[in-house]
Amino acid sequence: MNLQIKLAYAAGIMDGDGCFCLAKTTKYNNHLASITVKMTDRVVPTWLKAELGGNIHFQASSDPKGENTYQWSISNRQHISRLIPDLLPYLKTKRLSAIVILEFCQRFPGAGKRYTEEEKTIMSKYCDFMTVVNGRGPGSTMRKERLLRLVES
């Protein structure tokens, strides 16, 4: 399988079952950027790890009738900054989330840097924006389409 096909397949998986996430952490008053895919079958998360790097976490179901899950993830900002540009041509539904996470990771590369209070405030604004971008419910699709047009114009 050539590289473009692998990237298109990975982007399709991420569009359907993935999350481009940004969250404030209580530990060290920092922010965590990540790309995740969570599934009940380990085949695709294992493939993502082999092809794109990252980690796999197994989570046993707390519900006796539930299924165990396998979560592939990348949370290293430099890794995310290298991966997203390769995925962008193929992403459809998660395109805006990916663009925002990419900008965040490029602006705040992490790697042991201590950020000022002003920078942390800006990081929190990115988190607030991602809450809107990743939101669901009535009107969310139209909001995301308008935001994407603004970002790409």
Side-chain angles (χ1 to χ4, degrees), residues 20-88:
F20 292 82
C21 307
L22 185 57
K24 186 172 182 178
T25 64
T26 54
K27 187 176 184 179
Y28 306 118
N29 189 25
N30 204 350
H31 295 76
L32 176 69
S34 64
I35 305 171
T36 63
V37 173
K38 189 180 232 183
M39 298 182 149
T40 57
D41 188 302
R42 71 174 155 205
V43 172
V44 172
T46 301
W47 181 86
L48 288 167
K49 181 180 179 186
E51 296 298 326
L52 305 177
N55 299 295
I56 297 177
H57 302 282
F58 170 80
Q59 184 173 355
S61 175
S62 58
D63 180 351
K65 295 179 183 177
E67 294 187 58
N68 299 330
T69 58
Y70 301 85
Q71 179 174 296
W72 168 83
S73 64
I74 293 176
S75 58
N76 177 286
R77 293 182 194 173
Q78 290 78 29
H79 192 164
I80 291 170
S81 293
R82 290 189 307 270
L83 178 60
I84 289 178
D86 293 337
L87 296 171
L88 277 176

Side-chain angles (χ1 to χ4, degrees), residues 70-142:
Y70 301 85
Q71 179 174 296
W72 168 83
S73 64
I74 293 176
S75 58
N76 177 286
R77 293 182 194 173
Q78 290 78 29
H79 192 164
I80 291 170
S81 293
R82 290 189 307 270
L83 178 60
I84 289 178
D86 293 337
L87 296 171
L88 277 176
Y90 309 106
L91 288 168
K92 303 298 180 211
T93 61
K94 305 283 174 68
R95 183 175 177 78
L96 180 56
S97 296
I99 290 169
V100 175
I101 294 294
L102 175 61
E103 183 180 308
F104 177 87
C105 290
Q106 289 173 337
R107 188 168 183 180
F108 304 105
K113 183 179 182 323
R114 291 189 181 266
Y115 293 105
T116 65
E117 288 306 313
E118 182 181 346
E119 289 171 318
K120 288 180 182 181
T121 299
I122 294 168
M123 294 167 115
S124 291
K125 289 181 181 181
Y126 273 93
C127 285
D128 294 343
F129 187 75
M130 284 300 290
T131 300
V132 174
V133 170
N134 287 337
R136 297 182 182 172
S140 64
T141 301
M142 287 194 309

